[in-house]
Amino acid sequence: MSQCLNPDCKLVNQPNTKFCQRCGNKLLLADRYRAVQIIGQGGFGRTFRAVDEHKPSKPPCVIKQFYPQAQGTDTLQKAAELFEQEAVRLDELGKHPQIPELFAYFTQDGRQYLVQEFIDGQNLAQILTSEGYFSEKQIWNLLKDLLPVLEFIHKGQVIHRDIKPENIIRRSNGQLVLVDFGAAKYATATALGVTGTVIGSAGYAAPEQGIGKAIYASDIYSLGVTCIHLLTQVEPFELYSISEGDWVWRDYLPNPISKELGQVLDKMIQGATKRRYQSVAEVLNDINGSPIAPPKISVPQPPQPKFISQSFTEDLGNGVKLDMVYIPGGTFTMGAPVTEEGSRNSERPQHSVTIKAFLMGKYPVTQAQWQAVAKLPKVNRDLNPDPSRFKGANRPVERVSWYDAVEFCDRLCRLTGKAYRLPSEAEWEYACRAGTTTPFYFGRTITPELANYDGNYTYGSGTKGKYRQETTTVGSFPPNKFGLYDLHGNVWEWCADHWHSDYQGAPNDETIWLSSDKNSSRLLRGGSWYDDPGYCRSACRHDLNADYDNLYFGFRIVCSAEWT
């Protein structure tokens, strides 16, 4: 079915309908997301189960619509800010498996929307109602599962501020997912000392949240209250005695629990912040030291790429080597979110892409490598053996067109018998990111000490620095986690694909994306020594005629991993 998103209509239309049969409202958001059913509604918005029409399997997702029903300009403005803030937080927290992934955030028909991952499962409030109170073992497992998630968001300087059973969903495999970051805030050193918005759910919010001063320990408090509620199946207000000024939750336990768990929970829910756990690390330390707790809890670190023996060096003769690095296969989100500084519509919609393993040049092709291959017999076109303006054997070759780069690959194929070619755009971005989701593979900002670009300009919180006004020797700056160098700046790198104005209809694998127009321009990635840092982002795309060359343009080659 197709649910109309117009709050004044709400008609459920037949599947595949493009416009509401009652009010004429457009049913597809961003021409791809179709609401199927209303699954939630509150004072400031509605939530829909939805599908992504651009995916063959039409996987489920969630649409959140900002639809305020409260009155008052200040209230509405704050609600709108919180809605946008939720999109920012989801995007910033990246691809943690226990936080919903943000797919899109935009405005359509005058209303704000965000689209995020659908978490298939029940929240803990629903489970408590259907299955009854939790056992001690279930609480230990809950802490083991969720504390590392809290550690992760706190390291990202974010406080959730609304942890409660309704905001914790249990997947079908038992894994817990923390949802609803609408109340989350940055926890910078300045913000922690400033009174802000009073926010949080009554009964679960820490006392300091009542005066607008949430801290990291506020989330620990809320998680502790969630645990005693699940243990007793009694509302938090009844578990605290006003007359005694203390928690009396043990009086409501259906079964006794261990002293060790009781001590951990007591310290989590201390009203006085000085007597409460100050950090997740302190909670984990006590739990890991408990003789009856489950196996040691550790905060998972992002998986590191495994470099294997399939990397190799091609001998081009006369001491010239070409290093090829093995890039393991995987899935990533291609493109930039709307919240990324300097991003463009050509970098959207973001979409999931699965890449097969391949090999990629450790550096952009150097002048020494170019000269070695240019001496080889012609395949389709002549090559200038020394085209570069900025001379240096180990500087990247520049002033080469797309056709020149293809000829280089063709000659190398004939010499070695291996399938060398230009990378597809998807392969290039996957290799550049190396598992990261930030604008650059080394983080959210960039400085001239990390890459070669026009240092007169800044990005994010970066600082100005040296503008070198020329290329630099390859490998002069830090590599990414795959061991690749110079992907940000130095020279733009040609890709095999034709240019498309955005990612509508883009492949979901490493396929080279061609168009029917043979004269279509070709893709360049990575920025150059001449450009400001925004052009050096992992997601940035540029296009030019295939026969155009300039002192900003070079290339990097790839090779199939199958021959190994």
Side-chain angles (χ1 to χ4, degrees):
M1 307 305 285
S2 189
Q3 172 72 55
C4 181
L5 295 163
N6 181 355
D8 299 322
C9 178
K10 303 180 182 179
L11 179 69
V12 178
N13 295 266
Q14 293 299 313
N16 302 320
T17 311
K18 293 186 177 180
F19 298 93
C20 179
Q21 299 302 297
R22 175 186 294 164
C23 69
N25 191 66
K26 192 174 182 180
L27 294 176
L28 285 182
L29 286 177
D31 293 321
R32 70 180 296 177
Y33 301 109
R34 182 184 298 277
V36 175
Q37 178 187 15
I38 297 176
I39 56 176
Q41 184 163 334
F44 293 107
R46 299 187 297 169
T47 305
F48 303 83
R49 180 171 176 142
V51 294
D52 184 350
E53 295 280 354
H54 280 199
K55 301 292 182 67
S57 62
K58 294 187 177 181
C61 54
V62 171
I63 294 172
K64 296 190 75 172
Q65 178 193 58
F66 179 57
Y67 170 50
Q69 301 176 54
Q71 301 297 316
T73 303
D74 291 343
T75 301
L76 292 178
Q77 182 178 352
K78 185 60 183 179
E81 290 173 359
L82 289 174
F83 190 85
E84 181 177 4
Q85 178 176 287
E86 179 172 12
V88 173
R89 297 297 176 266
L90 285 174
D91 181 58
E92 289 172 341
L93 292 173
K95 298 295 184 295
H96 194 287
Q98 291 170 265
I99 296 173
E101 179 182 352
L102 177 71
F103 295 149
Y105 170 71
F106 50 86
T107 298
Q108 182 169 312
D109 299 326
R111 299 186 186 92
Q112 292 172 279
Y113 292 93
L114 65 82
V115 184
Q116 66 186 58
E117 177 187 4
F118 174 74
I119 307 299
D120 190 10
Q122 291 184 304
N123 67 48
L124 296 192
Q126 295 170 323
I127 293 171
L128 185 65
T129 300
S130 61
E131 299 179 10
Y133 57 82
F134 280 40
S135 67
E136 176 170 347
K137 181 179 178 181
Q138 287 176 297
I139 297 300
W140 280 123
N141 288 333
L142 182 152
L143 292 171
K144 178 181 180 181
D145 210 5
L146 278 185
L147 283 170
V149 183
L150 277 191
E151 178 102 305
F152 175 81
I153 69 170
H154 290 173
K155 283 183 176 179
Q157 293 189 304
V158 172
I159 306 172
H160 189 280
R161 297 201 298 180
D162 198 20
I163 296 174
K164 58 183 179 180
E166 289 83 355
N167 287 340
I168 303 169
I169 296 177
R170 186 174 71 186
R171 295 185 192 269
S172 56
N173 64 3
Q175 185 186 58
L176 299 178
V177 179
L178 186 60
V179 303
D180 199 346
F181 283 77
K185 69 170 288 187
Y186 267 131
T188 61
T190 302
L192 285 174
V194 176
T195 300
T197 305
V198 176
I199 200 164
S201 296
Y204 297 95
E208 62 272 13
Q209 288 182 244
I211 56 173
K213 291 189 175 181
I215 57 177
Y216 293 128
S218 305
D219 283 346
I220 296 172
Y221 178 98
S222 298
L223 181 59
V225 175
T226 295
C227 289
I228 63 174
H229 173 52
L230 297 173
L231 278 170
T232 60
Q233 207 171 0
V234 175
E235 292 299 321
F237 285 122
E238 297 183 41
L239 300 177
Y240 188 86
S241 171
I242 298 296
S243 60
E244 296 182 28
D246 201 2
W247 292 99
V248 291
W249 59 274
R250 283 178 176 79
D251 297 343
Y252 293 90
L253 287 172
N255 292 305
I257 63 168
S258 66
K259 180 180 70 173
E260 288 79 5
L261 179 58
Q263 289 174 339
V264 169
L265 295 179
D266 282 339
K267 193 169 181 180
M268 291 178 74
I269 61 175
Q270 283 289 327
T273 57
K274 289 185 178 180
R275 294 199 294 270
R276 194 188 312 157
Y277 287 111
Q278 299 299 296
S279 69
V280 172
E282 291 182 13
V283 190
L284 291 172
N285 185 61
D286 278 3
I287 290 176
N288 290 332
S290 171
I292 65 169
K296 184 175 182 179
I297 304 169
S298 60
V299 179
Q301 298 300 314
Q304 299 299 311
K306 298 178 180 179
F307 301 105
I308 62 177
S309 59
Q310 287 169 289
S311 298
F312 69 92
T313 298
E314 194 78 78
D315 188 349
L316 302 181
N318 296 320
V320 179
K321 309 291 184 182
L322 175 64
D323 293 326
M324 300 296 294
V325 176
Y326 178 80
I327 310 298
T331 299
F332 80 113
T333 299
M334 187 172 179
V338 293
T339 52
E340 183 169 301
E341 178 185 337
S343 66
R344 299 168 172 78
N345 289 335
S346 63
E347 299 160 22
R348 287 183 279 275
Q350 286 187 286
H351 55 292
S352 180
V353 179
T354 299
I355 302 290
K356 292 179 182 177
F358 63 102
L359 295 116
M360 188 175 223
K362 188 174 185 178
Y363 313 106
V365 170
T366 66
Q367 294 174 39
Q369 293 162 350
W370 174 268
Q371 290 164 10
V373 173
K375 294 176 182 178
L376 298 174
K378 170 182 173 180
V379 177
N380 292 303
R381 63 188 280 125
D382 294 325
L383 293 178
N384 180 346
D386 190 19
S388 301
R389 174 176 175 178
F390 305 112
K391 304 301 183 184
N394 291 321
R395 289 195 188 196
V397 66
E398 17 93 5
R399 296 208 299 192
V400 292
S401 70
W402 183 87
Y403 290 117
D404 292 336
V406 171
E407 175 70 16
F408 178 96
C409 294
D410 290 343
R411 295 190 188 188
L412 193 56
C413 289
R414 180 176 290 179
L415 172 69
T416 64
K418 302 185 183 78
Y420 285 106
R421 57 177 173 81
L422 293 177
S424 71
E425 186 181 15
E427 287 173 325
W428 191 97
E429 185 170 328
Y430 174 77
C432 177
R433 290 188 180 279
T436 64
T437 59
T438 47
F440 309 96
Y441 63 66
F442 31 69
R444 299 191 179 281
T445 190
I446 187 172
T447 69
E449 288 72 40
L450 296 172
N452 182 15
Y453 62 91
D454 187 346
N456 292 314
Y457 298 89
T458 62
Y459 185 94
S461 59
T463 57
K464 291 184 179 181
K466 187 175 183 179
Y467 175 31
R468 298 173 177 87
Q469 303 185 63
E470 60 182 350
T471 60
T472 48
T473 299
V474 299
S476 298
F477 302 96
N480 69 8
K481 291 180 181 178
F482 285 153
L484 301 174
Y485 292 79
D486 295 287
L487 289 153
H488 299 306
N490 219 1
V491 289
W492 285 97
E493 298 181 10
W494 288 108
C495 291
D497 312 60
H498 283 124
W499 167 257
H500 296 78
S501 59
D502 57 31
Y503 286 137
Q504 298 286 351
N508 59 6
D509 58 17
E510 69 282 349
T511 301
I512 296 170
W513 193 15
L514 302 177
S515 71
S516 57
D517 181 6
K518 301 304 180 184
N519 295 319
S520 175
S521 53
R522 297 284 178 164
L523 260 298
L524 289 142
R525 286 300 203 112
S528 77
W529 60 267
Y530 178 79
D531 296 290
D532 70 62
Y535 286 99
C536 301
R537 294 174 298 109
S538 299
C540 186
R541 313 168 70 220
H542 186 42
D543 70 303
L544 276 172
N545 292 333
D547 58 358
Y548 190 76
D549 62 66
N550 205 309
L551 61 161
Y552 322 126
F553 305 150
F555 67 102
R556 186 185 307 251
I557 61 174
V558 299
C559 177
S560 169
E562 295 177 358
W563 71 272
T564 60

